[in-house]
Amino acid sequence: MTQVATTTAPPPTEASPTVRLQGVRKTYDGYPVLEGIHLDAPAGQLTAILGASGCGKTTLLRLIAGFDTLDTGQITLAGRTIDDGTRAVPPGQRRIGYVPQEGALFPHLSVAANIGFGLPRRPHRQRHHRVRELLEMVGLAELADRAPHQLSGGQQQRVALARALAPRPHLVLLDEPFSALDPALRAQLRHDLLTLLRTTATTAILVTHDQNEALSTADHLAVLHQGHIAQAGQPITLYRQPTNPTVARLTGQVNLLHGRIDPAGAHCELGTLPVRPGGPRHPAPALIMIRPEQIHLETFDRTTAHPNTVIAGKVLHQAYHGHHTSVTIQPRDHPTLRLIARTTTDLTIHELIGFRITGTVTAWPSPRDNPHPTP
Amino acid sequence: MTPIPRRRTRPRPALILLGALTAALVALPLVFVMAEATSGGLGRAGFLLARPKVVELLGNTARLVIAVTVLSVFLGTVTAWLTECTDLPGAPLWRVLLVLPVAIPEFVSGYAWVSFTSTVRGFGGAVLISTMSLYPLVYLPVVAMLRRRDPTQDDVARSLGLTDAQVIRRVVIPTLRPAMLAGALIVSLHLLGEYGAFSIVRYPTFATEIVTEYDIGFDPAAAGMLSMVLVVLCSTILAAESRAAGATTYARIGAGAARPSAPARLGRALPLTLASLTGLAALALGVPVATLGYWLLNGGSTTLPPASIWSATSTTLLLSLAAAGASTLCALPVALLAVRYRTRLTLLLERGAYTARALPGAVVALALVFFALRYAPPLYQSIPLLITSYVVLFLPLALTAIRAVLVQIPARLAEIGEGLGVGRGQVLIRITLPLLAPGLGAGAALVFLATATELTSTLLLRPTGLETLATQFWVYLTGLAYGAAAPYAALMIAVSAGPTYFLTRWQPSTATAAAPFTTPERAAPAGLVGAS
């Protein structure tokens, strides 16, 4: 069943996405896991699916791979319907590479045999050549004859990716491939694998719960929450202009404040803040989002401080992260409020500082009696 | 592979002494057999070896071992796959039914078959009876392996273009190889040592011939030579298995995602599958149980069990308890040395203790007979010597069980204890032994079970007049008093069934390091091998 010849399938055109999910629904024991999923994975790009554990992201991946079948909806791959809820193409005929969380290398086969597993046995020379090529690509040429248990975690993941890429799939699925590795190795491996995917122009879908990973790697990002796609688009759009508080929280640290909006801007305890262009204008109660880096800290000087823009606050807590420090601030005039900001200057606990909000904020009209939305 | 914790500190000399004594105890029978075999000089040894009888026995034994091992591996693996990886209805019930035959000693099911139909004789009969009682020894390790393997591998293989059948052939079966090898090893070693069942169906093998020659005309050199051949056969199988297993010391790599794979659908194959499984259960379990039940109800001459049944039962229980205690005590220092103080010397001691795996019951008994007659006549046919033979035979069972638990107890715990100012002896009593309790218990239970159904060595070494359930059963059986034999067989099964079920549930965690000659998943099934 191993068909590898690249000529059999028409090359995906630039305009059409490689994978398209339409109205996908999946239930387990009558309980919906995924509902109304619409998602496009553009050709030659990396699409990341970000979500907390249990949100259905691995199920989504398994549906695309064909390990599970849809209840309703449709999945098309390179223009061909692979599952429409009634008939499903078997996983082996989809030409989708799969890289699971722990690599799942075949323990009884050498590194080279693992990589060549999905290739036709003959012609032998061609198979050997392809395995060599991939070994070089993932930088493990010297380890071809090793057994999987002799490799480090990062090396195992490289082999797993090479194995998935060997038959030149339409699409590679990556199921949290870096989560089992330590942070330093993770960053390196992530960089290497992404470079490899880009140079081979492979369409890929990466599933992750790590917002840094999703934002930094994806060309295209979809946030999955409780079985629904909460928002999909470019990472920067999702970060700066999330369409709802869930996406805001899942894509990074956030300050959420209750207030009101009207054509003049967003009004909250911190004053009146400009709403981003295209944001809501109709007067209504609203939830207002301020990213930590929008809070600009400065030394507080009673005499020069502009009471309308600079707000006084006290440093409650700080967490040092190396390249920046995360600071929790208690505004002097609103002692119940906590704000998270970022700085690179050294502060002391209980120090009185001034801060102001820069840039525009995102706001969503909301009923006033929302559950308390602190992050 | 989990690295074995090393400690810089040296073991106490007393511990080394205890370990060395145990290893010597186990290795000595081999020395005696060798000495006896060559007692008539090398020329006579060569003559004894080249007898046509030896060639015939070699052919018989080899045929039997190959046929039964292949069949058992096939049956054990297929049934394990059916109960673990498919939508077989009633799988939990099948799991129990498929394992139960192991609780029936082979010579008991031999008796059942022979009294049921006279057609079960010779090679065919031996293959049928052995396969039906031994396939669970493959089933158990394969089930354990199927449960701990990473099903994501199957997903990956399917995404690479394999059909379900190809996944089984190219991924599932290769990863099961260590378990299949382990099972095959136990089955073949058991076959080499089995006396009772093959004697019943009149199929001569080395083990039956050694006992016969001992019974008829006692020729130490001839019996010793046959024993040597048998030991060489066992060692060859052990060496072959350890080479094959050495190449496959893989388990699952990384923790893996805990996602059970969807069971395979049997679909249209279901009726045939159910029919085959029912047939297997009928042969392996139905015939022995039904025949035994028949003889119990229609005992004929003896309607009431004779009074000796209670003394035989208590003798069996006491001997088994003594053997269990002694074997566990002997195994403990060896296990502690091998796991906690790993040096070339301790490794040698451990391997020495494991050599008993190549010694069938008949050989050990014969060696001890030689020893007693030559050097310690008062010990001949004494209870201490009988228990010594059990210890030599079943030490590897206790050692495997204790070791499997010991490697999981972090050496750091003992170090913390010592760091708190507690002496090493106190650490052993207050920390190591309590944590080791499950291993000690399992080891003792394994030896208890094996002893309760042991026949060959007991027949040769028991003091005159002492009867166990197994020997009394054997006496009635060889006198063709099938009805009188039945209660003894039933009691033997009753004594073993409960602990057997408990032991099949007992699984040391999968993270244990492999012992030099054994892997943890062998512990439970190995215990069910009573060299009868």
Side-chain angles (χ1 to χ4, degrees), chain A residues 79-303:
Chain A
R80 170 190 181 205
T81 299
I82 53 172
D83 194 347
D84 60 4
T86 49
R87 268 199 283 175
V89 176
Q93 291 166 25
R94 295 188 179 195
R95 298 190 53 207
I96 294 179
Y98 178 54
V99 182
Q101 224 172 74
E102 304 259 356
L105 298 185
F106 303 121
H108 57 292
L109 298 176
S110 70
V111 166
N114 261 285
I115 295 176
F117 192 88
L119 295 173
R121 297 194 183 208
R122 277 166 221 293
H124 184 77
R125 181 185 297 253
Q126 211 167 316
R127 172 191 165 93
H128 183 76
H129 180 76
R130 180 69 179 148
V131 170
R132 274 276 133 207
E133 191 180 14
L134 281 152
L135 277 168
E136 305 273 335
M137 267 192 220
V138 294
L140 297 174
E142 314 84 63
L143 304 181
D145 299 322
R146 292 276 182 91
H149 71 261
Q150 295 171 301
L151 303 184
S152 70
Q155 289 169 334
Q156 290 185 18
Q157 282 299 11
R158 284 167 204 262
V159 176
L161 182 70
R163 178 178 62 184
L165 288 174
R168 300 183 204 276
H170 289 304
L171 167 74
V172 171
L173 302 175
L174 304 150
D175 186 359
E176 306 226 15
F178 313 112
S179 64
L181 308 173
D182 59 82
L185 188 62
R186 194 184 305 178
Q188 176 66 42
L189 185 68
R190 189 154 65 200
H191 174 262
D192 290 357
L193 293 201
L194 290 173
T195 312
L196 184 59
L197 289 173
R198 296 239 156 85
T199 53
T200 54
T202 308
T203 312
I205 297 180
L206 168 78
V207 146
T208 180
H209 66 265
D210 179 338
Q211 31 124 333
N212 280 327
E213 189 167 291
L215 291 172
S216 64
T217 58
D219 302 307
H220 187 74
L221 177 62
V223 169
L224 190 63
H225 181 66
Q226 293 178 350
H228 297 267
I229 299 278
Q231 191 179 355
Q234 285 194 324
I236 195 164
T237 312
L238 267 68
Y239 186 77
R240 298 229 175 117
Q241 299 161 22
T243 53
N244 55 62
T246 302
V247 174
R249 281 197 204 102
L250 282 170
T251 48
Q253 277 190 318
V254 70
N255 297 294
L256 293 173
L257 287 85
H258 285 298
R260 284 191 61 78
I261 39 168
D262 63 25
H267 310 278
C268 63
E269 283 110 321
L270 303 177
T272 301
L273 305 168
V275 175
R276 70 172 165 81
R281 288 284 185 273
H282 291 292
L287 199 58
I288 297 154
M289 176 194 95
I290 304 166
R291 291 287 185 191
E293 63 275 13
Q294 285 184 275
I295 300 179
H296 185 79
L297 303 184
E298 45 198 61
T299 46
F300 185 69
D301 186 337
R302 253 167 249 276
T303 53

